[in-house]
Amino acid sequence: MVDGQQRLTTLQLLLRGVLDALEEVEVSNKTKAQVRRLVMNDVEVVREDEILKLAPRRAEEDQFRLAMGAKPPSADESKFADARGFFRQNAMDFLADDSVPEDPYTPDGGPDARASLLVAALLGLMKIVVIDLEDVDDAQVIFEALNARNTPLSATDLVKNLLFMRAEKQDHDSEGLYESLWKRFDDDSAWWLESVGTGHAQRARQDWLLGDWLIAQRGRSINVGRLYGEFRRWLDDSKADPRDALSTLNQYADAYEAFNNRRRGASPRESEAFKLIERLNITAVMPLMLWLLVQPADHLPPAERERAVLAIESFVIRRMAAKYQTRAYGQIFVDVLKEAKAASEHPGQAVIEALRKRSGYGWPRFEDLTQAFMENRYYGSGGLGQDRLRILLGAIDRSLQSESPKSENITVDYTSLEIEHILPQEWHKSWSVKIDDPAARMRAEERRQQSVNRIGNLTLVTKHLNPALSNSAWQVKRAELGKHSKLQLNARLQAYTDWDEDRIEERGRWLAEQMEKVWPGPTAKIWG
């Protein structure tokens, strides 16, 4: 069946619930028999295992048969049993309600008259459309045309229907393919259907998987807004066997789950990198990362693979920190993927070398980061955004914590912290420039205003400490930070007896040095 599985299953449970209600009240056998024929086949015509009108997919068949049995099951046994009980109760309420209409042709009135009207509605007003196709007709094309006039299915639903229809045409065991290569998506549908991404890029996790897999197969960028059309063209052009397509898609699903710590396969550091890039919504990287994880160990050893994943993470994080643009990332990472695929050996190292040699979209060096930290605005309009600042400053603090063996081991939720300006944004109140010469004072004030939103002037504090610091003078802020903050990022501030533009520049250089430890640059020895 191409479409309507859920509707027909729900309809059968509704009819079974109505039949339960009819059997509990005094109604004619004819009325009950009319509904029973809609639920069950004639026992004299069919086998015992075909008694029910509907047979759902194999994974749910036992639960459905129990829920449709003669004895009503407990509602907590399955979602089918719960639905049957729900419809039974609604039918009972209807039959017991003296205010609802009755069938005027039932002489005695009462529940039997209301039951007659209810059954007449089920038999006469509910319509089911069946389309019979010839061998030359394409069920998928007809389904797409009809479905386009209603709520569209997801791209993954359309791909599933197409693949299994092609599999049947090629005489594959579609039931076996479903059980081994697709059932996981239905059994864990809540996770696979969960929306990820932000804004216009938000879509179901299974649709992201399909897009990333297809990019890796095609070796080029695709229009994710036309994902099904792109897939169908690929399937037609490549003449790929549906079984092979399902098998490789399943491997990518394994990789996706491994990166999300739902199965083994990715190292903790690889999963951390994946989640960080996903948090930044840099979706263009994912096809390359998934491709790396599906490579066999004899072609790409785990240590080399992890090094490649960390190089990708460093590339995107350092570019973000330097405030470089991301507009061409889709093509950039497709090109890197092509170079990795073309490598006869060491594909992980090929990824690193491809990132190193990018021209125009380079991997920022230490000098590039230092210059950006000294000159760029990082907070407010034209800045990085507070979540990205938390990522950078939080990672630096975590690194500092690991380098402080004498300090207690603490776990910090950096996402709950707020960005604090050491030199306050409203600096005119407590941090005014005291220079007599008007021209010199104007230049000093301009420099101070430019310095306020540079990264060297930013730190992390709790939401309770933030308002307490506010526009206070440096000596007050310094004392409060020393008293209340457990961050090594703030402990380093205690060394400063004063705070001004020179200190902000100095701390900007220091933060660039810390970045080099957390996310090594392109010339680092770690990359080989």
Side-chain angles (χ1 to χ4, degrees):
M1 186 179 299
V2 175
D3 189 31
Q5 298 97 327
Q6 293 182 358
R7 294 180 182 89
L8 285 178
T9 302
T10 303
L11 176 59
Q12 284 294 296
L13 291 165
L14 182 152
L15 293 168
R16 180 69 257 195
V18 169
L19 182 57
D20 288 340
L22 296 177
E23 290 175 343
E24 290 188 40
V25 298
E26 292 295 329
V27 299
S28 69
N29 289 330
K30 177 183 177 182
T31 301
K32 288 184 283 188
Q34 287 177 300
V35 176
R36 191 176 290 108
R37 281 198 297 269
L38 299 177
V39 177
M40 301 176 187
N41 292 313
D42 190 337
V43 294
E44 297 179 355
V45 176
V46 300
R47 301 195 311 266
E48 184 179 351
D49 60 345
E50 295 176 342
I51 193 67
L52 295 178
K53 292 281 188 181
L54 179 73
R57 63 190 179 95
R58 186 179 299 170
E60 296 176 327
E61 186 172 357
D62 291 342
Q63 285 186 344
F64 183 76
R65 288 188 179 281
L66 287 173
M68 293 290 289
K71 181 181 179 182
S74 172
D76 59 5
E77 286 189 17
S78 69
K79 58 187 177 182
F80 302 123
D82 190 26
R84 173 178 173 175
F86 170 82
F87 290 126
R88 171 199 161 279
Q89 187 58 54
N90 277 268
M92 289 291 293
D93 293 343
F94 178 87
L95 296 174
D97 189 349
D98 293 334
S99 66
V100 302
E102 297 180 356
D103 181 3
Y105 299 104
T106 302
D108 297 331
D112 199 28
R114 288 190 285 275
S116 180
L117 192 66
L118 176 58
V119 172
L122 291 173
L123 292 173
L125 299 181
M126 185 163 53
K127 305 296 183 183
I128 297 177
V129 176
V130 178
I131 302 176
D132 293 321
L133 303 180
E134 303 294 336
D135 290 341
V136 295
D137 294 326
D138 190 330
Q140 185 68 18
V141 172
I142 295 172
F143 162 69
E144 291 163 24
L146 293 173
N147 198 67
R149 297 178 177 273
N150 208 315
T151 303
L153 294 181
S154 71
T156 307
D157 287 327
L158 295 171
V159 165
K160 171 190 174 183
N161 289 341
L162 179 61
L163 280 172
F164 280 96
M165 188 176 66
R166 294 278 179 94
E168 287 187 359
K169 285 184 176 180
Q170 296 179 23
D171 295 324
H172 289 306
D173 177 12
S174 58
E175 187 72 21
L177 288 179
Y178 174 84
E179 289 292 324
S180 61
L181 299 176
W182 193 275
K183 182 174 177 284
R184 64 187 298 173
F185 298 112
D186 291 334
D187 286 349
D188 201 8
S189 60
W191 189 78
W192 282 108
L193 291 175
E194 183 181 353
S195 291
V196 294
T198 58
H200 69 280
Q202 192 174 61
R203 54 181 57 88
R205 193 175 268 117
Q206 65 179 14
D207 286 352
W208 278 118
L209 168 68
L210 177 63
D212 294 339
W213 168 76
L214 188 56
I215 290 171
Q217 300 306 303
R218 304 200 72 169
R220 67 170 179 80
S221 298
I222 64 172
N223 185 337
V224 294
R226 297 184 175 90
L227 191 53
Y228 171 69
E230 294 269 10
F231 171 81
R232 182 162 189 149
R233 279 192 294 276
W234 170 79
L235 193 62
D236 291 338
D237 295 343
S238 67
K239 308 296 188 214
D241 185 285
R243 178 176 51 195
D244 295 338
L246 283 165
S247 180
T248 56
L249 178 60
N250 207 54
Q251 291 174 9
Y252 276 71
D254 286 346
Y256 203 104
E257 290 193 4
F259 273 132
N260 282 278
N261 294 323
R262 292 170 61 85
R263 68 171 59 229
R264 294 180 179 178
S267 72
R269 191 62 186 84
E270 287 172 327
S271 295
E272 183 182 332
F274 181 90
K275 290 176 184 176
L276 180 55
I277 293 172
E278 190 174 54
R279 178 177 167 188
L280 294 174
N281 204 33
I282 305 178
T283 57
V285 181
M286 299 312 181
L288 172 60
M289 295 186 70
L290 291 172
W291 181 85
L292 288 169
L293 202 60
V294 301
Q295 299 311 299
D298 58 353
H299 180 56
L300 178 58
E304 181 184 339
R305 184 192 68 210
E306 181 177 287
R307 203 166 66 248
V309 169
L310 297 186
I312 295 168
E313 179 192 37
S314 172
F315 181 88
V316 298
I317 294 293
R318 288 174 74 94
R319 285 184 59 85
M320 178 193 77
K323 298 183 64 179
Y324 290 178
Q325 62 174 305
T326 63
R327 193 174 299 115
Y329 270 7
Q331 189 58 49
I332 292 291
F333 286 104
V334 164
D335 290 343
V336 174
L337 176 58
K338 285 181 180 178
E339 296 194 37
K341 282 186 167 184
S344 58
E345 57 183 8
H346 300 300
Q349 190 62 34
V351 168
I352 296 171
E353 296 307 324
L355 294 175
R356 275 175 162 166
K357 71 180 184 182
R358 301 309 310 172
S359 59
Y361 261 76
W363 191 348
R365 301 164 302 164
F366 172 68
E367 296 79 7
D368 302 321
L369 277 182
T370 302
Q371 182 179 1
F373 282 10
M374 299 279 285
E375 299 177 359
N376 289 348
R377 180 189 182 103
Y378 279 83
Y379 187 91
S381 178
L384 277 188
Q386 294 200 35
D387 187 52
R388 295 189 170 197
L389 285 170
R390 277 190 284 266
I391 288 173
L392 295 181
L393 296 175
I396 290 172
D397 182 75
R398 190 183 300 112
S399 175
L400 294 171
Q401 298 280 358
S402 67
E403 295 174 358
S404 302
K406 294 182 180 180
S407 300
E408 302 86 353
N409 292 325
I410 63 172
T411 300
V412 181
D413 178 13
Y414 294 101
T415 62
S416 68
L417 300 181
E418 297 184 351
I419 308 299
E420 166 69 8
H421 290 75
I422 303 170
L423 170 66
Q425 292 177 288
E426 300 296 327
W427 54 267
H428 299 85
K429 297 178 181 179
S430 301
W431 299 64
S432 59
V433 176
K434 296 178 173 58
I435 299 178
D436 293 334
D437 180 67
R441 184 171 66 251
M442 184 177 297
R443 288 192 297 272
E445 288 178 342
E446 182 179 0
R447 184 188 178 199
R448 177 155 294 186
Q449 187 60 40
Q450 290 174 343
S451 299
V452 166
N453 290 308
R454 287 183 179 144
I455 197 167
N457 189 49
L458 305 176
T459 192
L460 296 171
V461 296
T462 65
K463 64 180 180 180
H464 300 293
L465 184 55
N466 197 351
L469 299 175
S470 189
N471 298 320
S472 303
W474 168 238
Q475 296 304 329
V476 175
K477 283 195 169 187
R478 181 185 179 212
E480 288 294 298
L481 288 170
K483 181 179 179 181
H484 297 291
S485 179
K486 292 182 173 61
L487 301 186
Q488 289 294 323
L489 193 67
N490 293 330
R492 297 303 197 275
L493 293 172
Q494 298 301 307
Y496 294 103
T497 56
D498 58 357
W499 192 260
D500 56 19
E501 294 76 11
D502 291 338
R503 305 290 84 74
I504 292 172
E505 288 187 2
E506 180 182 338
R507 187 166 178 268
R509 284 191 293 270
W510 177 79
L511 287 173
E513 292 171 357
Q514 305 313 305
M515 277 279 296
E516 201 70 16
K517 299 176 185 177
V518 180
W519 291 289
T523 60
K525 292 181 179 180
I526 185 179
W527 310 128

